[in-house]
């Protein structure tokens, strides 16, 4: 069964165990299901959050992180994390920016110097460009959830190590589960390849909708790459229009709807006018 199928089965079982044997999935298809899943993954408002850390083993195992009931608990556990060596050199744990109610979840690679200093993701020049790109398709930063694969800065911005990715991934996975987004946007090769567990190039991964744990995921250029290659702005904008169309319910070309065997790039009728240039004036090199 697909990951979305697994999620649906688990959800229905949970509802049944809660004494709700007669569950009707309202017409609404994937969106209706996602709304139900959002409700159930967050649990009741009065969910017991206090004392969560006291019940964890010293570093928090993967299973314990994945069982954390609310985003605040995940944040607190991440803030104290020593699961990999990056804790020794970080100034801040860069957990995320945005609300757990967001419909769009954006994932980058790892914090840089600005993020390490402020504790917030994507706050440098690349982040400002990302904000403008998202806004150009109707996603103000205040309405999206932004995080990175790694929550701590690799010294000197070196590439993340496999063991760092493995240690940190449960936090991102739990973030995704708790936000339950309608679409995930992976910015850059690293985020895309890590989330999708592939070595395929960005070029091949763009232009179609993937699934991450049952959630639609689209891949686009990293905004820092756009600062170096402004010619990639328009393709990025088109990728983000795909995300917009998924949220608007105008596009369902997930692997499920295409059929499991179909891995070809699906075309999108995203329009050809190009991004509004006043919103996307580019600066120079990222540094
Ligand atoms: N690049 C990233 O991938 N993430 C950030 O938070 C900042 C720059």
């Amino acid at each position: 069964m697909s990951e979305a199928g697994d999620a649906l089965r688990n959800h229905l079982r949970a509802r049944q165990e809660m004494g709700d044997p007669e569950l009707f999935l309202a017409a609404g298809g994937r969106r209706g299901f996602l709304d139900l899943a959002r409700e159930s993954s967050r649990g009741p408002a009065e969910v017991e959050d206090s004392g969560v850390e006291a019940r964890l083993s010293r570093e928090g195992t993967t299973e314990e992180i994945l069982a954390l009931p609310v985003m605040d608990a995940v944040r607190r556990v991440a803030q104290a994390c020593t699961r990999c060596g990056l804790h020794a050199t970080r100034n801040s744990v860069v957990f995320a920016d945005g609300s757990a109610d967001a419909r769009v979840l954006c994932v980058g690679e790892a914090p840089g110097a600005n993020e390490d200093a402020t504790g917030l993701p994507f706050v440098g020049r690349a982040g400002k460009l990302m904000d403008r790109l998202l806004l150009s398709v109707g996603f103000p930063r205040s309405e999206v959830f932004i995080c990175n694969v790694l929550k701590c800065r690799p010294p000197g911005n070196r590439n993340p190590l496999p063991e760092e990715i493995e240690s940190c991934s449960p936090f991102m996975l739990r973030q995704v589960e708790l936000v339950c987004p309608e679409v995930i946007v992976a910015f850059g090769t690293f985020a895309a390849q890590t989330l999708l567990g592939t070595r395929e190039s960005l070029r091949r991964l763009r232009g179609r909708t993937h699934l991450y744990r049952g959630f639609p995921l689209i891949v686009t250029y990293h905004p820092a790459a756009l600062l170096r290659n402004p010619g990639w702005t328009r393709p990025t904008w088109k990728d983000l229009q795909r995300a917009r169309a998924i949220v608007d319910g105008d596009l369902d070309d997930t692997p499920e709807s295409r059929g499991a065997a179909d891995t070809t790039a699906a075309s999108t009728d995203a329009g050809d006018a190009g991004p509004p240039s006043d919103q996307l004036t580019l600066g120079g090199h990222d540094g």
Side-chain angles (χ1 to χ4, degrees):
M1 188 180 279
S2 67
E3 285 173 342
D6 282 342
L8 178 57
R9 191 185 50 196
N10 292 340
H11 172 74
L12 292 174
R13 185 176 296 144
R15 294 287 291 251
Q16 196 172 31
E17 284 168 2
M18 288 184 322
D20 186 7
E22 292 198 343
L23 177 68
F24 296 95
L25 272 183
R30 174 176 198 93
R31 184 117 177 218
F33 164 62
L34 276 178
D35 285 345
L36 280 172
R38 284 162 84 95
E39 238 176 70
S40 74
S41 77
R42 288 184 188 139
E46 67 276 14
V47 72
E48 187 50 61
D49 177 29
S50 61
V52 158
E53 290 89 333
R55 296 195 291 274
L56 298 188
S57 57
R58 198 167 58 88
E59 297 200 320
T61 64
T62 296
E63 292 69 29
E64 287 168 339
I65 293 167
L66 293 178
L68 291 168
V70 289
M71 196 66 85
D72 266 354
V74 187
R75 181 188 294 274
R76 292 196 306 269
V77 173
Q79 296 293 351
C81 178
T82 56
R83 283 164 61 89
C84 81
L86 293 180
H87 77 274
T89 50
R90 74 182 175 217
N91 289 304
S92 314
V93 173
V94 182
F95 182 70
D97 193 19
S99 154
D101 287 331
R103 299 166 77 184
V104 182
L105 185 144
C106 299
V107 185
E109 178 173 331
N114 291 312
E115 291 75 22
D116 183 51
T118 59
L120 287 170
F122 282 104
V123 289
R125 290 188 57 236
K128 298 276 178 284
L129 176 55
M130 189 176 95
D131 292 353
R132 294 204 297 278
L133 282 161
L134 288 168
L135 187 62
S136 76
V137 293
F139 297 141
R141 181 170 174 125
S142 55
E143 292 177 16
V144 299
F145 186 93
I146 302 173
C147 63
N148 285 301
V149 174
L150 289 195
K151 309 302 183 216
C152 298
R153 182 188 184 209
N157 293 350
R158 65 157 167 73
N159 289 338
L161 303 174
E163 58 268 29
E164 293 163 354
I165 298 167
E166 194 184 332
S167 301
C168 213
S169 289
F171 292 111
M172 185 185 62
L173 174 53
R174 195 60 185 138
Q175 287 176 318
V176 171
E177 287 176 342
L178 289 170
V179 172
C180 220
E182 290 170 32
V183 67
I184 299 171
V185 182
F187 282 94
T189 309
F190 177 83
Q193 291 184 342
T194 305
L195 284 156
L196 296 172
T198 178
R199 300 298 300 162
E200 266 194 280
S201 67
L202 192 85
R203 182 182 295 267
R204 286 182 57 84
L205 294 171
R206 286 186 50 248
R208 58 191 158 120
T209 309
H210 307 266
L211 284 179
Y212 172 72
R213 307 268 168 167
F215 298 97
L217 180 149
I218 67 121
V219 171
T220 194
Y221 292 106
H222 194 287
L226 299 188
L227 290 171
R228 294 187 292 270
N229 301 284
W232 293 345
T233 305
R234 180 188 167 89
T236 304
W237 181 69
K238 294 195 85 172
D239 293 337
L240 293 176
Q241 282 193 315
R242 169 177 289 272
R244 177 80 250 175
I246 293 169
V247 168
D248 289 343
D250 293 339
L251 179 70
D252 182 5
D253 68 336
T254 57
E256 283 175 336
S257 65
R258 293 201 298 267
D262 177 8
T263 55
T264 56
S267 67
T268 173
D269 184 19
D272 252 331
S277 54
D278 55 329
Q279 286 178 25
L280 297 177
T281 314
L282 298 171
H285 185 67
D286 191 24

